[in-house]
Amino acid sequence: QVQLVESGGGLVQPGGSLRLSCAASGIIFSINTMGWYRQAPGKERELVATITSIGITSIGSTNYADSVKGRFTISRDNAKNTLYLQMNSRKPEDTAVYYCNLLQGRLNYWGQGTQVTISS
């Protein structure tokens, strides 16, 4: 059983930085893909960024949605089983519930989500 718990969301002003975290617990394989997805009101859930792990100490490739390239950075600490999303230059259209995702083998896990609201 795997659990994903997001944190770091809230109400913030446009611009500046915010970091989301996702703590994973349970049986975590050394080879997997973790990612952040988001869902805005009235819209479908969409990919924000993903990052792969190819071993306990080896981080693989990253992938970003065009809308966040150059502004957001995804990273992970395998020793802590924690995923991060550094959000810079926040825009109102970044407002959404952000979900953490873990894909390992054929198993797909989701966190409960954390609300991020960008508003002045």
Side-chain angles (χ1 to χ4, degrees), residues 21-38:
S21 300
C22 172
S25 61
I27 300 175
I28 310 296
F29 299 160
S30 60
I31 299 175
N32 59 55
T33 297
M34 295 191 77
W36 290 98
Y37 291 74
R38 67 186 181 186

Side-chain angles (χ1 to χ4, degrees), residues 23-94:
S25 61
I27 300 175
I28 310 296
F29 299 160
S30 60
I31 299 175
N32 59 55
T33 297
M34 295 191 77
W36 290 98
Y37 291 74
R38 67 186 181 186
Q39 187 167 17
K43 296 186 178 181
E44 295 186 351
R45 190 173 298 188
E46 63 176 5
L47 168 74
V48 176
T50 61
I51 183 169
T52 60
S53 172
I54 56 177
I56 296 176
T57 59
S58 299
I59 304 300
S61 62
T62 57
N63 179 51
Y64 293 92
D66 288 342
S67 59
V68 305
K69 281 182 181 177
R71 299 190 299 120
F72 292 6
T73 301
I74 189 170
S75 61
R76 60 190 295 169
D77 184 336
N78 284 353
K80 297 180 179 179
N81 284 332
T82 301
L83 178 72
Y84 303 99
L85 183 68
Q86 180 69 40
M87 305 170 62
N88 296 332
S89 302
R90 300 184 304 263
K91 302 178 180 180
E93 51 264 41
D94 294 325

